[in-house]
């Protein structure tokens, strides 16, 4: 089918309203408390006596299906609000870049309210040609409501926009470049960190095999990433403390795409909670990406890249110390 024919089918969906997706649970204090703890927010600010308020940034969270895909409560629509995207993928427009998400909050939502949202396919742009390939901006609008006996009330909205495109130079998995091309291709180097008077100590410490953390001279609080002023007491005076390099995985993501040289993919990026009490972002080595777990004990190691020009603190599970990355 020619592109103009199937795109006409896709564009015919613009303006379509999809049915309700309900929240599994009413707004409740335990979920608010757990969300706040995970996000590092004091739950007390939302738990005033007699009025439990959900953090605004949780708006989208209440109506998520959970770990089981497309598992929604009874009464939710069976329609797929991403119908247009699926049609585009079926015709080769399957790659994604430039995801944009904008949450708008109408009012606070309170303990005991039950939410749902409906989706509208807002627009599909004209064809756009970029260095990555040719495709279309697709915009969806989700509107969130609180279900009430006296009439449902709009409490917020989410605009979701994504660029779906057909890659200009697709690479088939497992395809090898011609040997001559591979030999001529320059070896990609890791990007060098931006260095300033605030961060120079950290990178110089890494070159010396030390994990240095900034410490406020006023109140003694550790902070990372480094900065010119203490966020707690606003003192400009600071020194450093050498961390042991021991810690645990506080959180992590495994990056699959886009594949950016010279990094290996899948690429496990971890947020490490150091035993000294602060956190920093790094890479995990010496472990299969699928085996990374929250709470794993780790130890720092300093690895050289770019012919020794760059030294990075990376983390390895304690149980695999000494095993090659």
């Amino acid at each position: 089918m020619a592109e103009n024919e199937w795109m006409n089918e896709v564009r015919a969906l613009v303006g379509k309203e999809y049915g309700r997706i309900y929240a599994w649970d009413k707004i409740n204090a335990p979920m608010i408390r757990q969300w706040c703890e995970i996000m590092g927010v004091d739950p007390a600010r939302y738990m005033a006596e007699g009025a439990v308020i959900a953090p605004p940034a949780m708006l989208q969270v209440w109506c998520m299906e959970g770990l089981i895909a497309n598992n929604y409560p009874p009464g939710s629509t069976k329609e797929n609000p991403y119908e247009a995207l699926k049609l585009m993928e079926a015709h080769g427009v399957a790659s994604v870049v430039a995801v944009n998400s904008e949450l708008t909050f109408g009012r606070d939502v309170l303990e005991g309210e039950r939410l749902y949202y409906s989706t509208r396919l807002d627009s599909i742009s004209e064809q756009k040609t970029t260095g990555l390939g040719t495709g279309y901006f697709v915009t969806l609008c989700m509107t969130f409501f609180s279900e009430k006996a006296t009439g449902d009330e709009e409490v917020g909205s989410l605009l979701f926009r994504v660029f779906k495109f057909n890659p200009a130079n697709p690479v088939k998995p497992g395809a090898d470049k011609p040997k001559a091309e591979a030999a001529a291709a320059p070896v990609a180097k890791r990007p060098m960190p931006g260095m300033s008077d605030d961060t120079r100590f950290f990178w110089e410490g890494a070159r010396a095999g030390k994990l240095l953390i900034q410490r406020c001279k006023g109140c003694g609080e550790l902070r990372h990433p480094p900065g010119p002023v203490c966020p707690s007491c606003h003192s400009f005076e600071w020194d450093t403390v050498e961390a042991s390099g021991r810690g645990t995985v506080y959180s992590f993501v495994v990056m699959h795409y886009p594949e950016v040289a010279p990094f290996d993919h899948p690429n496990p990026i971890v947020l490490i909670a150091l035993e000294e009490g602060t956190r920093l972002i790094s890479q995990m080595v010496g472990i299969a990406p699928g085996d990374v777990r929250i709470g794993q004990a780790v130890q720092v190691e300093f690895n050289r890249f770019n012919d020794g020009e760059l030294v990075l603190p990376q983390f390895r599970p304690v149980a695999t110390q000494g095993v090659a990355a």
Side-chain angles (χ1 to χ4, degrees):
M1 183 185 297
E3 182 166 357
N4 61 336
E5 295 180 13
W6 64 259
M7 271 307 298
N8 287 338
E9 182 181 352
V10 174
R11 291 188 186 282
L13 298 172
V14 172
K16 181 175 178 178
E17 298 272 358
Y18 294 84
R20 300 179 179 185
I21 298 289
Y22 284 97
W24 273 106
D25 303 287
K26 294 181 179 180
I27 307 298
N28 64 87
M31 289 181 68
I32 293 171
R33 185 178 297 108
Q34 291 172 19
W35 184 92
C36 287
E37 289 177 357
I38 290 171
M39 300 301 293
V41 176
D42 182 5
R45 63 192 300 182
Y46 298 105
M47 300 286 184
E49 186 175 350
V52 175
I53 299 172
M58 285 188 74
L59 182 61
Q60 187 183 10
V61 175
W62 296 107
C63 295
M64 287 182 171
E65 70 267 38
L67 294 177
I68 303 174
N70 300 317
N71 183 27
Y72 293 103
S76 297
T77 181
K78 301 299 182 182
E79 293 181 299
N80 185 347
Y82 302 105
E83 180 181 9
L85 299 179
K86 295 298 182 183
L87 284 171
M88 295 170 76
E89 290 169 3
H91 289 89
V93 186
S95 296
V96 174
V97 73
V99 175
N100 178 40
S101 183
E102 298 177 12
L103 269 172
T104 301
F105 310 110
R107 67 161 174 82
D108 291 327
V109 292
L110 307 176
E111 184 176 28
E113 292 189 81
R114 190 187 187 200
L115 304 186
Y116 69 85
Y117 73 87
S118 60
T119 303
R120 183 184 78 257
L121 178 59
D122 185 71
S123 65
I124 298 174
S125 73
E126 296 301 315
Q127 189 179 79
K128 306 289 184 180
T129 300
T130 72
L132 293 173
T134 301
Y136 307 86
F137 285 99
V138 181
T139 303
L140 293 152
C141 293
M142 291 80 163
T143 305
F144 291 83
F145 296 88
S146 174
E147 194 174 45
K148 294 179 176 292
T150 56
D152 298 350
E153 180 182 359
E154 182 177 334
V155 295
S157 62
L158 169 66
L159 180 147
F160 176 77
R161 181 178 292 117
V162 63
F163 184 61
K164 295 287 287 185
F165 68 99
N166 186 14
N169 299 297
V171 177
K172 295 182 179 179
D176 295 326
K177 293 183 178 180
K179 291 183 179 180
E181 181 183 347
V187 178
K189 292 185 176 182
R190 291 196 177 220
M192 298 297 290
M195 195 176 299
S196 68
D197 291 340
D198 297 320
T199 63
R200 185 170 289 106
F201 77 89
F202 180 82
W203 299 109
E204 290 178 348
R207 292 186 68 85
K210 298 178 180 180
L211 185 62
L212 300 180
I213 303 298
Q214 196 175 44
R215 177 175 58 187
C216 175
K217 282 188 174 182
C219 65
E221 181 170 308
L222 300 179
R223 62 180 185 264
H224 189 87
V229 62
C230 176
S232 296
C233 72
H234 309 297
S235 170
F236 284 86
E237 301 298 321
W238 58 270
D239 59 9
T240 63
V241 60
E242 183 178 353
S244 67
R246 295 186 294 272
T248 57
V249 176
Y250 184 83
S251 184
F252 70 94
V253 297
V254 178
M255 185 173 179
H256 293 263
Y257 188 84
E259 294 186 358
V260 179
F263 301 97
D264 294 328
H265 292 81
N267 183 12
I269 309 298
V270 289
L271 179 61
I272 300 297
L274 297 174
E275 64 179 13
E276 288 78 12
T278 192
R279 304 171 190 158
L280 80 166
I281 296 173
S282 184
Q283 280 184 297
M284 198 83 152
V285 296
I287 186 172
D291 292 337
V292 180
R293 295 290 182 270
I294 290 175
Q296 279 179 321
V298 295
Q299 175 69 51
V300 73
E301 64 180 39
F302 297 92
N303 295 314
R304 294 182 176 273
F305 301 91
N306 301 356
D307 299 323
E309 184 181 7
L310 173 65
V311 178
L312 294 176
Q314 298 178 313
F315 286 82
R316 181 184 295 273
V318 171
T320 63
Q321 288 292 316
V323 179

